[in-house]
């Protein structure tokens, strides 16, 4: 998770290149060292570094310049004990291989940088025990707040820790957290994707998605089923392979689908990494898209954008969601510092619509057994 340097006294020194030449033990630069260099009191240095209006602009600038040259870094825990707000925020995500979450991390970092805050990335691997250790560790460092993509079953201790600090849920809704939330219209998105395939004449449409134990997995599966039901199809006509996340589950699901009779003529994805796994599985099985199987992906990511002949997919406003989520978290932190009581306000909920980008991976249905003209090699 995080590794914390050993801190001594009021400060920690992070020398710059050129200050490490001496083999002797590095001296931890203190407020007193800077005061001695400039010939002023330690209290003056402290006020200057805190941008106190009692100190002239020119002296503040000079103090900061000398502090920077000497390699001074403020001791964060000591600053917090003196009443300063922590500048540390936690972003809790299930994995970092998912391009969705890497985009979120970049957007959140950009937003918080402007506010002078720092983002620590915590990866849970969908494990509630790991989630608890990560949140507890950052809470012990007096984190100012969290953006959380929760596991399916967060530990009671995790819920209690998050309840004591400003936090916002992202994408997933945990029924045990009565929190502000920013996410996607998951049901509407999969409904849109499935209707697109239905409009092309497909009826044997498979859905491959994540665990229904997650709010996102349940909503996406429901959106697919709603569209199928509206088209007059019965539950036994629906082909659902849900319960896992990631490429491996999707590849295995493709293999199972290709063994069914009659085979599906189309597949719709319920996740970013699931989409990659579906494409990998189809390529490995030698299935031609869209001649033998039409495909609709989830999230218009850079990696799937490289796939040829072009993937029809749901586009998600990931950066917009992450920026708005981060902005609200910063607002909640400011409110908590002003002795406001955010718990008296109803949680803020924002749902973002998806859009369908139509490319070459979907085509009108072909009758089973109809030969398709192969593309020239």
């Amino acid at each position: 998770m995080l590794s914390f340097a050993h801190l001594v006294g009021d400060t920690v020194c992070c020398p710059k290149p050129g200050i490490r030449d001496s083999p002797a033990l590095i001296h931890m630069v203190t407020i007193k060292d800077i005061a001695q260099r400039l010939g002023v009191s330690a209290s003056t240095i402290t006020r200057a570094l805190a941008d106190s209006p009692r100190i002239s602009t020119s002296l503040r600038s000079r103090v900061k310049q000398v502090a920077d040259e000497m390699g001074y870094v403020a001791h964060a825990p000591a600053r917090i004990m003196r009443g300063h707000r922590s500048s540390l925020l936690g972003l809790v995500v299930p994995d970092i291989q998912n391009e969705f979450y890497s985009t979120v991390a970049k957007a959140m970092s950009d937003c918080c940088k402007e506010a002078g805050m720092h983002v620590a990335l915590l990866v849970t691997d969908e494990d509630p025990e790991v989630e608890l250790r990560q949140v507890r560790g950052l809470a012990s460092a007096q984190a100012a707040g969290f953006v959380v993509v929760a596991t399916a079953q967060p530990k009671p201790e995790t819920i209690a820790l998050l309840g004591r600090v400003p936090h916002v849920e992202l994408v997933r809704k945990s029924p045990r957290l009565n929190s502000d939330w920013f996410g996607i219209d998951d049901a509407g998105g999969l409904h849109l994707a499935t209707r697109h395939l239905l409009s092309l004449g497909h009826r044997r449409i498979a859905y491959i998605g994540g665990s229904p134990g997650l709010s996102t997995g349940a909503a996406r599966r429901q959106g697919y089923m709603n569209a199928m039901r509206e088209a007059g199809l019965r539950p036994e006509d629906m082909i659902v392979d849900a319960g896992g996340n990631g490429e491996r589950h999707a590849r295995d699901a493709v293999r199972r689908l290709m063994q069914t009779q009659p085979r599906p003529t189309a597949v719709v994805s319920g996740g970013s990494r699931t989409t990659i796994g579906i494409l990998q599985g189809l390529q490995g099985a030698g299935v031609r898209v869209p001649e033998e199987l039409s495909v609709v992906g989830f999230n218009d990511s850079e990696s799937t954008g490289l796939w040829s002949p072009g993937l029809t997919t749901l586009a998600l406003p990931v950066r917009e969601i992450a920026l708005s989520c981060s902005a609200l978290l910063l607002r909640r932190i400011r409110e908590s510092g002003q002795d406001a009581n955010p718990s008296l306000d109803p949680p803020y909920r924002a749902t973002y619509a998806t859009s369908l980008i139509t490319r070459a991976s979907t085509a009108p249905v072909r009758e089973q057994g109809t030969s398709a003209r192969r593309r020239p090699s």
Side-chain angles (χ1 to χ4, degrees):
M1 185 186 71
L2 297 170
S3 63
F4 296 96
H6 179 61
L7 303 175
V8 180
D10 190 48
T11 61
V12 59
C13 180
C14 298
K16 295 187 173 184
I19 306 180
R20 300 177 183 272
D21 298 334
S22 172
L25 181 65
I26 295 173
H27 171 65
M28 297 296 178
V29 178
T30 67
I31 294 287
K32 291 180 181 179
D33 294 328
I34 303 172
Q36 185 175 7
R37 169 79 70 87
L38 291 173
V40 298
S41 68
S43 60
T44 297
I45 300 297
T46 300
R47 293 190 183 101
L49 291 173
D51 282 323
S52 170
R54 297 170 61 183
I55 307 299
S56 69
T57 302
S58 60
L59 182 54
R60 273 184 276 164
S61 178
R62 178 61 179 152
V63 167
K64 291 177 183 178
Q65 179 184 346
V66 170
D68 194 44
E69 291 171 354
M70 295 179 69
Y72 170 82
V73 179
H75 182 182
R79 284 175 55 82
I80 293 169
M81 290 178 66
R82 292 195 297 267
H84 293 273
R85 187 183 66 200
S86 168
S87 63
L88 194 60
L89 300 177
L91 171 59
V92 185
V93 299
D95 71 81
I96 53 174
Q97 294 176 299
N98 191 327
E99 288 183 60
F100 183 99
Y101 297 124
S102 60
T103 303
V104 166
K106 178 63 169 66
M108 183 175 173
S109 177
D110 290 343
C111 180
C112 294
K113 187 188 306 178
E114 296 179 3
M117 308 294 280
H118 308 284
V119 179
L121 182 63
L122 312 178
V123 183
T124 67
D125 290 324
E126 301 286 10
D127 186 333
E129 287 287 353
V130 174
E131 180 179 54
L132 173 58
R133 289 199 301 271
Q134 302 281 38
V135 171
R136 181 189 287 146
L138 205 60
S140 70
Q142 301 295 318
F146 291 85
V147 170
V148 184
V149 184
T151 58
Q153 295 291 331
K155 295 283 185 181
E157 298 95 325
T158 304
I159 302 297
L161 285 168
L162 291 173
R164 300 182 192 127
V165 66
H167 68 279
V168 180
E169 284 191 279
L170 179 67
V171 183
R172 299 175 182 175
K173 282 182 186 174
S174 173
R176 302 173 63 190
L177 282 168
N178 187 34
S179 312
D180 298 316
W181 173 84
F182 287 77
I184 300 160
D185 181 5
D186 290 300
L190 267 294
H191 185 274
L192 177 65
T194 308
R195 278 182 58 86
H196 169 66
L197 293 169
L198 289 165
S199 71
L200 294 173
H202 294 277
R203 292 299 179 269
R204 297 262 318 151
I205 304 172
Y207 167 76
I208 301 176
S211 169
L214 295 168
S215 63
T216 49
R220 293 169 195 174
R221 184 178 67 167
Q222 191 61 51
Y224 157 83
M225 295 177 70
N226 288 346
M228 296 287 279
R229 191 178 297 113
E230 290 167 8
L233 296 166
R234 300 165 298 175
E236 53 266 33
D237 299 320
M238 304 177 194
I239 309 167
V240 176
D241 198 320
N245 290 302
E247 292 92 335
R248 175 177 292 183
H249 167 256
R251 289 193 300 267
D252 291 342
V254 167
R255 186 170 58 252
R256 288 188 289 269
L257 290 177
M258 293 302 100
Q259 294 171 352
T260 61
Q261 291 298 329
R263 278 166 43 162
T265 62
V267 61
V268 60
S269 170
S272 297
R273 292 182 63 189
T274 296
T275 300
I276 295 172
I278 289 172
L279 297 177
Q280 291 172 342
L282 293 175
Q283 183 179 28
V287 177
R288 292 172 297 149
V289 177
E291 292 89 345
E292 296 179 80
L293 190 81
S294 286
V295 179
V296 178
F298 188 91
N299 193 16
D300 191 31
S301 66
E302 289 187 12
S303 59
T304 56
L306 300 174
W307 184 81
S308 179
L311 181 68
T312 296
T313 190
L314 288 172
L316 317 176
V318 185
R319 183 171 175 82
E320 181 184 354
I321 295 171
L323 289 174
S324 299
C325 178
S326 303
L328 181 64
L329 177 61
L330 293 173
R331 174 185 156 193
R332 294 301 193 205
I333 292 169
R334 288 194 299 271
E335 290 173 346
S336 67
Q338 296 167 358
D339 295 326
N341 191 350
S343 63
L344 296 179
D345 299 329
Y348 181 83
R349 304 287 167 84
T351 304
Y352 291 75
T354 63
S355 58
L356 185 71
I357 300 176
T358 306
R359 299 193 182 103
S361 68
T362 52
V365 66
R366 295 176 182 271
E367 293 295 331
Q368 293 281 340
T370 298
S371 61
R373 181 179 298 174
R374 293 182 178 272
R375 295 194 190 102
S377 56

